[in-house]
Amino acid sequence: MNYAESDEQQMIRELVRDFAESVLAPTAEHRDANQIPPSDEWQQFLEFGLQGVTIPEKYGGSPVDDISESIIVEELSRVDPSFGVMFCVHVGLCAKTIALHGDEEQKRKYLSRLAAGEVGAYSLSESGAGTDAAAMICKAKLSDDGKHYILNGEKMWVTNGAQADIIVLFAKDVDHPDYGIKKHGGTTAFIVESSFDGFSVGKKEDKLGIRSSDTCTLVLSNCKVPVENVLKGVGNGFPIAMNALDNSRIGIAAQALGIAQGAYEAALNYSHEREAFGKPIAHHQMIMNYLADMATRIQAARDLVYRASWAKQEHYENGGQRHTQEASMAKLFAGDTAMWVTERAIQVLGGYGYTKEFPVERFFRDAKITQIYEGTQEVQRIVIARSLK
């Protein structure tokens, strides 16, 4: 593969970087402190059409290659990781999943709305089914008239949950022959609209990081979902969920990469401005070591993220092998890199790094989640080990 950025990729990077610095940066700290979702910022973002980068043109999208998608997440997260994950879930876990697994009517109806800017979400986890996703207990049952599935239960950790109009949501069909026999028996993917009867938003999580990204519980109380909103047939949801995780892990790796890059740049700039013992601290050997190691780890993470992005595109466009290993390696390394770099960035800034005067403390808090969601680092190591030959 060619690691050199194309003219189009460079243009996308510059476009998104300008948006992030001019629109997101001025409000990022305030939104983080007050847990305000970036709704106004999202409306401004829609002007560029990038909310449809995983949606075919025939449904109103503006598709780009998979490396460009990662570049967008990286550049958003370099300034505001909360906005980065909002975008990532919208284009990846929601729109991409419908584009890959939906029938023509589902794609026509929902991808066009997502391309127009309605917010998408994805809901797999429950209170007892996070890392062990197959342990979900949310139930679905066909209505007596056969026109709806009736969903009951609570879903947790839903990014964009309070803002979303369209949610790809998983529940178990209790009438499926594998229900109660196989651990993931009956697992079914549904397209749920927030306007459906029986759907409501529950508790909003008070989080350590990515506080401007809303993370909510979704409550399903006899929620009526039309039968035509089942993705790829009843009982076929678990492979859809696992495929979505392969894709979204690359997005989270790109988010972690952006966090690391943002923290590194803040530390580098500060080190040239701050003087100690008669010279900028950037000229002290220990700080030089920190900066060199930061830059090296970030570049290694970037190579893994872009390679995983390329492998994803090869899989879907040219029938290449599944990109499970590449996705897990990218997420594992990039997540650990984000934590390592942000901790060192605070150290470079010293006392200032511990305050909200500089963004590195926010990056440090935001980085931690990249080691947890879309499969913990422990899970990534299991996935990688099982893929070794």
Side-chain angles (χ1 to χ4, degrees):
M1 62 172 292
N2 184 0
Y3 283 92
E5 286 187 10
S6 67
D7 290 343
E8 181 179 1
Q9 288 167 346
Q10 290 177 359
M11 181 189 70
I12 289 172
R13 185 184 294 280
E14 291 170 4
L15 176 70
V16 179
R17 178 169 292 197
D18 180 68
F19 167 80
E21 293 181 347
S22 62
V23 177
L24 298 180
T27 62
E29 294 293 340
H30 174 73
R31 287 186 284 105
D32 173 80
N34 295 281
Q35 301 188 70
I36 301 172
S39 301
D40 293 340
E41 291 77 8
W42 178 254
Q43 292 303 313
Q44 295 180 66
F45 184 70
L46 298 182
E47 297 175 9
F48 303 107
L50 297 177
Q51 73 280 1
V53 295
T54 58
I55 298 172
E57 289 183 6
K58 65 184 290 188
Y59 307 113
S62 50
V64 300
D65 65 273
D66 288 86
I67 292 178
S68 293
E69 182 185 341
S70 290
I71 288 172
I72 296 170
V73 179
E74 175 189 350
E75 287 297 329
L76 293 172
S77 302
R78 171 182 162 270
V79 172
D80 183 5
S82 291
F83 196 95
V85 74
M86 178 184 180
F87 169 83
C88 189
V89 170
H90 172 85
V91 302
L93 285 170
C94 186
K96 182 80 170 181
T97 301
I98 296 174
L100 287 174
H101 305 290
D103 60 32
E104 183 59 30
E105 178 59 24
Q106 290 168 341
K107 287 190 253 190
R108 185 195 62 77
K109 180 177 181 179
Y110 288 109
L111 292 182
S112 60
R113 290 169 56 182
L114 292 166
E118 292 190 44
V119 178
Y122 176 93
S123 181
L124 178 65
S125 297
E126 298 177 12
S127 61
T131 297
D132 184 8
M136 73 176 71
I137 60 173
C138 185
K139 295 178 174 61
K141 186 174 178 60
L142 191 63
S143 63
D144 292 338
D145 61 11
K147 294 182 179 180
H148 295 85
Y149 276 92
I150 308 301
L151 274 56
N152 281 284
E154 290 191 0
K155 309 297 287 188
M156 288 191 69
W157 315 119
V158 185
T159 299
N160 300 346
Q163 296 177 277
D165 305 287
I166 300 163
I167 306 103
V168 174
L169 185 146
F170 295 82
K172 288 185 176 179
D173 176 13
V174 297
D175 296 321
H176 192 275
D178 289 335
Y179 179 75
I181 298 174
K182 296 181 180 179
K183 191 169 184 180
H184 53 74
T187 301
T188 302
F190 298 90
I191 303 174
V192 178
E193 298 185 37
S194 59
S195 60
F196 284 172
D197 290 343
F199 176 95
S200 62
V201 175
K203 175 188 175 185
K204 181 177 180 179
E205 301 296 338
D206 188 2
K207 308 186 302 290
L208 170 72
I210 56 168
R211 289 169 58 82
S212 182
S213 165
D214 74 76
T215 305
C216 301
T217 297
L218 300 183
V219 180
L220 306 164
S221 180
N222 292 325
C223 179
K224 297 174 64 176
V225 181
V227 293
E228 55 266 28
N229 280 33
V230 172
L231 274 174
K232 215 169 184 177
V234 175
N236 296 319
F238 198 72
I240 293 175
M242 295 303 100
N243 176 253
L245 289 177
D246 280 350
N247 297 332
S248 64
R249 282 169 181 164
I250 300 172
I252 299 308
Q255 181 196 26
L257 173 61
I259 292 170
Q261 183 69 34
Y264 161 72
E265 290 176 7
L268 179 64
N269 292 336
Y270 180 86
S271 72
H272 285 288
E273 297 170 358
R274 174 70 169 177
E275 290 192 1
F277 305 105
K279 59 183 177 181
I281 63 172
H283 298 165
H284 291 283
Q285 186 170 358
M286 183 58 71
I287 302 301
M288 293 170 68
N289 289 345
Y290 282 164
L291 295 172
D293 286 347
M294 285 182 194
T296 301
R297 293 193 187 206
I298 289 170
Q299 187 57 55
R302 182 171 287 111
D303 288 351
L304 282 171
V305 171
Y306 291 3
R307 176 173 176 76
S309 303
W310 171 82
K312 180 174 70 168
Q313 186 152 324
E314 282 292 296
H315 170 61
Y316 289 122
E317 292 190 357
N318 301 315
Q321 293 184 340
R322 279 188 63 182
H323 48 287
T324 303
Q325 183 192 80
E326 290 88 347
S328 287
M329 285 182 171
K331 183 191 178 297
L332 174 67
F333 191 82
D336 287 350
T337 296
M339 278 305 300
W340 190 91
V341 168
T342 55
E343 192 276 336
R344 294 303 186 282
I346 289 176
Q347 202 67 22
V348 170
L349 271 69
Y352 285 113
Y354 202 67
T355 72
K356 295 185 182 297
E357 186 174 345
F358 290 85
V360 292
E361 68 86 26
R362 175 167 56 87
F363 285 132
F364 179 72
R365 290 186 286 106
D366 289 347
K368 184 59 191 173
I369 192 60
T370 67
Q371 295 182 310
I372 298 172
Y373 56 14
E374 309 312 304
T376 63
Q377 303 299 71
E378 292 77 14
V379 166
Q380 304 315 314
R381 288 182 168 89
I382 291 172
V383 171
I384 294 165
R386 286 176 176 171
S387 70
L388 300 178
K389 298 179 181 179

